[in-house]
Amino acid sequence: IRILDNKIASIQEAGTTVFNENSEKINAEGYWISPGFMDLRANFRDPGFETKEDIESGADAAAAGGFTKVAVLPELNPIAQNKSDISYLIEKGKKTAVDILPIAALSHNLEGKEISEMYDLKQAGAIAFSEGNNPVSSSGLLMRGLLYGKTFDALIMVSPEDKGISGKGQMNESLQSVILGMKGIPNLTEVLAIKRDLELLRYTESKIHFSHISSKEAVNLIAQAKKEGLKVTCDVAAHQLLYTDSELKDYNTNFKVKPPFRSEGDREALIDGILNGIIDVIISDHQPEDLEHKEVEFEYAAPGIASIQTVLHFIIEGLADKFNPDLVVQTLSVNPRKISGLEIAKIAENENAELVIWSNEKSWLYNSKSNKSKAVNNPLWNTEIKGKVLGTFHKNKWNQNN
């Protein structure tokens, strides 16, 4: 693949390309080359919480994970709910190796009472609307958002959770939660929320995207909704494909996530959902935290994994013998762009060069030297893992992953 002035100039059989002496040559033997990955859900904490992460460090970690585009959550300070907030994220992202795509607040101040200036925010560059890590508690708010957003094809992303049931739960409700003496979060909390939102979707005849689903029941409900012809899409966090609630036996706070890791049956259902095309997208659900919020008792620890650099590994190990590189391209490159209304990146002559070079066989050591994020809240810390990104090419620049 020969790239010239950010365009793919030619694609030829290996060994036949004629390079001039000024060409930079990249040896990608043994690697896959795909359109750059797009993360549909990450938190870069900037502005307001830069001690945990900022756009520069988040973008560096994203590029090291193979991403060229990242959609960032609105839970910032100030909240991403004005044109200036959206402009800040986009402009700051221009100086990095990735495109920063803002997700704007669905409601004013994320309070769940009044919908935000959705149309103006989309015009300013917001690709979607969300309440961030909180569910949309008000049925009326979501209904108004779906009806209003329908007029300009807005994408509304919801985290399915009934907080009246999940309450102060710490982990999946199961025998494991009983053994560990922790308050459980049943699958029912996700089921009820999805059922309500699907009814609102039927009523409004709009479209909706369910973020980070975690249960077998969720997969079944969304499968049925798609079969009915409803405009529904969904994603799953990459780490949900690998871990279950059994990991919490040692009270390791790096395994505390939201939604929680569930049973082996749920994990298998999520994998089947990806294989069957029910789950459209795999996300990082990158949630960087500082030591102050992780190295505490499990009950008080903040949920989340700083995961954007290790997404490939979670997918490779989670899918195991069901791994297929085509699934990676579909769920990390094609579908995120399709759902958010962006042009799908292609590897073809005369197309813009937005590429990632990666391997599902090669390994690397994930430690303080290779980590690009400010955060270390990841259960893979200080281990050798499979799923290596050689680098990305984006914005007319080769970003070598060292």
Side-chain angles (χ1 to χ4, degrees):
I1 300 176
R2 184 168 176 263
I3 301 171
L4 185 64
D5 296 330
N6 205 39
K7 293 279 188 180
I8 296 177
S10 63
I11 301 176
Q12 299 172 333
E13 188 176 339
T16 64
T17 303
V18 177
F19 296 92
N20 63 46
E21 58 183 20
N22 296 320
S23 297
E24 179 182 359
K25 299 176 184 177
I26 301 165
N27 182 3
E29 185 176 357
Y31 287 84
W32 301 102
I33 301 179
S34 308
F37 301 153
M38 175 178 166
D39 192 358
L40 203 52
R41 182 186 173 88
N43 197 335
F44 280 178
R45 308 292 190 185
D46 181 354
F49 308 97
E50 291 89 345
T51 56
K52 299 181 181 184
E53 193 81 286
D54 55 41
I55 287 178
E56 290 83 3
S57 63
D60 287 345
F67 295 93
T68 53
K69 285 180 167 56
V70 180
V72 294
L73 292 171
E75 292 169 295
L76 307 166
N77 188 15
I79 293 166
Q81 60 183 357
N82 298 311
K83 288 183 179 181
S84 58
D85 305 323
I86 302 302
S87 177
Y88 169 86
L89 294 169
I90 293 173
E91 290 302 314
K92 203 165 183 183
K94 288 180 179 179
K95 301 174 184 178
T96 72
V98 306
D99 297 321
I100 300 297
L101 309 172
I103 301 171
L106 175 62
S107 71
H108 183 64
N109 289 331
L110 297 176
E111 293 176 346
K113 297 178 181 178
E114 300 176 1
I115 59 173
S116 62
E117 299 293 335
M118 294 172 62
Y119 179 78
D120 290 343
L121 290 167
K122 184 171 182 179
Q123 293 298 107
I127 67 158
F129 301 88
S130 167
E131 292 292 85
N133 284 312
N134 289 312
V136 183
S137 297
S138 169
S139 301
L141 176 84
L142 181 56
M143 183 182 73
R144 293 192 295 274
L146 289 170
L147 286 170
Y148 181 43
K150 181 181 175 181
T151 63
F152 53 94
D153 197 33
L155 176 66
I156 294 180
M157 306 169 68
V158 296
S159 296
E161 177 189 4
D162 186 319
K163 295 200 78 169
I165 292 177
S166 60
K168 296 182 179 180
Q170 299 295 313
M171 63 174 292
N172 180 46
E173 183 181 84
S174 63
L175 177 60
Q176 190 74 1
S177 65
V178 175
I179 293 172
L180 296 177
M182 288 195 282
K183 180 174 172 53
I185 302 172
N187 290 13
L188 183 64
T189 187
E190 193 166 273
V191 171
L192 291 180
I194 291 176
K195 285 185 175 181
R196 182 205 68 171
D197 294 353
L198 288 176
E199 288 303 319
L200 291 172
L201 185 62
R202 289 187 183 95
Y203 178 79
T204 59
E205 297 181 341
S206 184
K207 67 178 181 180
I208 200 167
H209 179 87
F210 290 107
S211 295
H212 56 195
I213 65 170
S214 64
S215 66
K216 178 180 180 179
E217 293 91 338
V219 176
N220 293 337
L221 285 169
I222 293 169
Q224 181 60 37
K226 287 189 171 188
K227 190 175 180 180
E228 291 177 28
L230 295 179
K231 296 178 181 178
V232 56
T233 52
C234 67
D235 64 55
V236 65
H239 42 263
Q240 292 281 359
L241 305 177
L242 180 58
Y243 300 124
T244 67
D245 57 1
S246 64
E247 303 289 348
L248 275 66
K249 59 183 180 297
D250 296 322
Y251 298 95
N252 184 343
T253 58
N254 284 328
F255 287 108
K256 185 177 182 180
V257 292
K258 182 182 179 181
F261 292 123
R262 299 200 182 273
S263 69
E264 177 64 16
D266 290 308
R267 188 186 76 87
E268 291 174 356
L270 294 172
I271 291 173
D272 287 342
I274 290 171
L275 298 175
N276 298 329
I278 297 165
I279 297 177
D280 304 274
V281 173
I282 298 175
I283 57 169
S284 74
D285 208 12
H286 181 66
Q287 300 288 341
E289 289 290 348
D290 50 28
L291 296 180
E292 180 183 347
H293 290 84
K294 273 296 184 182
E295 291 195 354
V296 292
E297 290 182 24
F298 197 93
E299 180 181 355
Y300 303 108
I305 295 176
S307 54
I308 202 164
Q309 205 171 328
T310 58
V311 167
L312 262 182
H313 174 80
F314 290 136
I315 296 172
I316 292 163
E317 292 298 315
L319 295 183
D321 59 352
K322 296 177 182 177
F323 175 83
N324 185 327
D326 290 340
L327 283 174
V328 173
V329 176
Q330 196 67 34
T331 57
L332 289 184
S333 296
V334 177
N335 288 348
R337 289 175 171 84
K338 186 184 297 183
I339 290 169
S340 53
L342 300 178
E343 183 179 353
I344 297 174
K346 300 175 183 176
I347 302 180
E349 292 183 357
N350 299 318
E351 294 284 345
N352 287 331
E354 186 176 347
L355 307 172
V356 56
I357 303 175
W358 58 279
S359 168
N360 60 299
E361 295 291 342
K362 298 183 184 296
S363 300
W364 58 288
L365 185 60
Y366 178 46
N367 58 13
S368 57
K369 185 176 180 180
S370 59
N371 181 41
K372 305 296 183 183
S373 171
K374 287 185 178 182
V376 300
N377 55 300
N378 189 313
L380 297 173
W381 187 249
N382 280 332
T383 61
E384 185 170 318
I385 62 176
K386 288 176 68 175
K388 181 175 175 61
V389 173
L390 183 63
T392 61
F393 190 94
H394 188 38
K395 302 182 180 180
N396 204 27
K397 183 180 178 183
W398 167 243
N399 306 291
Q400 178 83 37
N401 187 19
N402 297 317

